[in-house]
């Protein structure tokens, strides 16, 4: 009985793949779409660039936030708010 419950979700998935293959002629999607959207983005240069962007998002934006807090603190010290 456990095997039946385990394999039961495979039935609609197999039906969907059969329908998709019958309509498009591709089992897992259009190879051109995969090449353009997935394979073209796999570039070794993208890794350090993405890492540099994450560092800027963590430290650069946080630094700007700290400057904003420092300016607000100056207003509070001078009682100009």
């Amino acid at each position: 009985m456990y095997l039946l419950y385990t394999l039961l979700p495979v039935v609609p998935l197999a039906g969907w793949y059969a329908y998709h293959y019958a309509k498009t002629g591709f089992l897992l999607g259009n190879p051109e779409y995969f090449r353009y959207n997935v394979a073209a983005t796999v570039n070794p240069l993208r890794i350090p660039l993405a890492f540099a962007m994450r560092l800027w998002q963590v430290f650069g934006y946080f630094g700007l936030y700290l400057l904003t807090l420092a300016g607000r603190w100056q207003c509070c010290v001078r009682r100009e708010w």
Side-chain angles (χ1 to χ4, degrees):
M1 198 61 160
Y2 176 74
L3 184 63
L4 176 68
Y5 289 139
T6 305
L7 294 177
L8 194 60
V10 174
V11 174
L13 185 62
W16 169 251
Y17 277 130
Y19 173 77
H20 186 263
Y21 184 75
K23 291 293 181 181
T24 64
F26 304 111
L27 184 61
L28 297 175
N30 190 343
E32 292 293 324
Y33 176 82
F34 179 81
R35 186 176 323 132
Y36 180 77
N37 289 311
V38 178
T41 61
V42 178
N43 184 348
L45 182 60
R46 289 177 60 93
I47 295 169
L49 288 177
F51 184 68
M53 287 183 67
R54 296 309 178 264
L55 286 177
W56 166 250
Q57 289 171 349
V58 170
F59 296 112
Y61 290 146
F62 185 67
L64 293 174
Y65 176 70
L66 289 178
L67 287 174
T68 303
L69 287 179
R72 183 68 182 134
W73 183 75
Q74 284 293 330
C75 289
C76 291
V77 168
R78 294 182 188 168
R79 307 260 189 233
E80 292 179 1
W81 56 293

